[in-house]
Amino acid sequence: ALEFERKTSEARAEVYRHNINLTYNSATGVNYPFQDISRRPFPDWGVVSMNTHLGRSAYHALQTSLNKRFSNRWQGSATYTLSYLKNADTKPFSGLEQLTFATAPDLGGEWGLSADDQRHRMVLNGIWQVGKGFQVSALHFTLAGIRLAHTYGGDVRGTGANFSQRLRPNGTVVPRNDLIAPAQNRTDIRLQQRIPLGGRVSIDGIAEVFNAFNRPNWGIGTQESTVAQFLQHTTAQVRTAQFGFRLTF
């Protein structure tokens, strides 16, 4: 069976504002330093955080699937998704009021491709009933690199919190979510042997290997100010295995 589906969704999202105890200059579109207590909406308070439901997102995708139903002791499927995801967090708040004038793009409200946006995704899986209770199954997926949030690092704007880390000391702003992680490939394999114990009672021995070919699937550093790690391989996946049993009665 071959299936195609076009999927479109738009939604409001909950967004955590790290500090609403700030005021902003309408001429420059940036905040006054949090250290200036006289300009805080609530001078007697420190950092004030708030959850809002004013973020927005839009997901568009073409989803395809090819399925072979179980017959002749095997089944398989393949899926492919072509998609993009855009979003924006909420515009800045000053006290309990949302700002009505334009602010610097790194302070909130900028619409564009989201962190976690991923253009291509393909998954293959299959099951083979070999015989005499022995079964082999495997799953392989290959993914285009996921989009990552890119920051300079540090509170250069003086917000008293960490919601704006895209401003560089030279005054330029890091583009939003402009880094792409390395593509990923992984194969997982499962072996299962069923042993009848009489009547409806049986025991299954199960062995599973994840990332069987030990592909590193690197993660990269995304903070510019951490020079030793920025754009360098910082994390990797490794081959792992687990063993277990299941009793059926």
Side-chain angles (χ1 to χ4, degrees):
L2 179 62
E3 299 178 0
F4 296 90
E5 180 182 5
R6 183 178 180 274
K7 185 174 183 180
T8 301
S9 63
E10 297 189 8
R12 288 289 182 179
E14 181 176 357
V15 177
Y16 179 74
R17 296 303 304 181
H18 292 269
N19 189 11
I20 63 170
N21 200 10
L22 292 168
T23 54
Y24 294 77
N25 186 327
S26 60
T28 62
V30 300
N31 60 287
Y32 292 105
F34 177 69
Q35 291 73 16
D36 187 349
I37 296 176
S38 67
R39 291 189 178 275
R40 296 180 189 174
F42 311 112
D44 296 335
W45 296 358
V47 173
V48 180
S49 303
M50 180 173 71
N51 288 332
T52 76
H53 291 266
L54 300 176
R56 56 198 178 103
S57 66
Y59 176 73
H60 299 272
L62 173 65
Q63 300 176 335
T64 66
S65 64
L66 177 64
N67 298 287
K68 192 267 183 188
R69 295 180 179 177
F70 192 85
S71 63
N72 298 320
R73 300 196 300 183
W74 75 278
Q75 71 177 34
S77 68
T79 63
Y80 169 72
T81 302
L82 173 66
S83 66
Y84 71 85
L85 173 65
K86 290 186 175 182
N87 73 352
D89 58 7
T90 183
K91 294 180 179 179
F93 275 72
S94 182
L96 299 178
E97 300 296 326
Q98 189 174 39
L99 301 183
T100 57
F101 54 84
T103 59
D106 58 304
L107 289 173
E110 185 179 11
W111 176 259
L113 290 170
S114 169
D116 298 332
D117 169 69
Q118 188 174 58
R119 198 65 62 246
H120 307 282
R121 177 184 178 92
M122 184 172 68
V123 180
L124 310 172
N125 66 71
I127 300 174
W128 179 26
Q129 194 74 41
V130 181
K132 296 185 177 180
F134 184 57
Q135 183 185 92
V136 179
S137 58
L139 177 147
H140 176 80
F141 65 84
T142 180
L143 313 175
I146 240 173
R147 191 169 290 273
L148 302 173
H150 174 191
T151 65
Y152 174 78
D155 185 20
V156 179
R157 286 222 184 268
T159 64
N162 62 358
F163 70 89
S164 173
Q165 297 194 43
R166 290 166 51 199
L167 180 67
R168 300 183 177 105
N170 65 5
T172 60
V173 175
V174 171
R176 183 175 185 261
N177 304 330
D178 68 327
L179 296 182
I180 304 293
Q184 298 198 3
N185 287 276
R186 197 180 84 185
T187 302
D188 300 335
I189 299 173
R190 173 186 172 116
L191 307 176
Q192 181 174 326
Q193 177 64 60
R194 171 161 294 184
I195 302 172
L197 298 179
R200 294 189 297 176
V201 181
S202 65
I203 188 169
D204 292 311
I206 302 168
E208 295 176 302
V209 181
F210 304 100
N211 195 13
F213 301 107
N214 208 30
R215 297 180 180 271
N217 293 327
W218 296 107
I220 59 174
T222 61
Q223 185 168 294
E224 285 186 10
S225 59
T226 309
V227 178
Q229 293 186 355
F230 182 58
L231 298 183
Q232 303 300 311
H233 293 160
T234 57
T235 59
Q237 296 180 6
V238 295
R239 181 191 297 118
T240 58
Q242 67 180 19
F243 303 91
F245 68 91
R246 179 175 61 200
L247 181 65
T248 304
F249 55 91

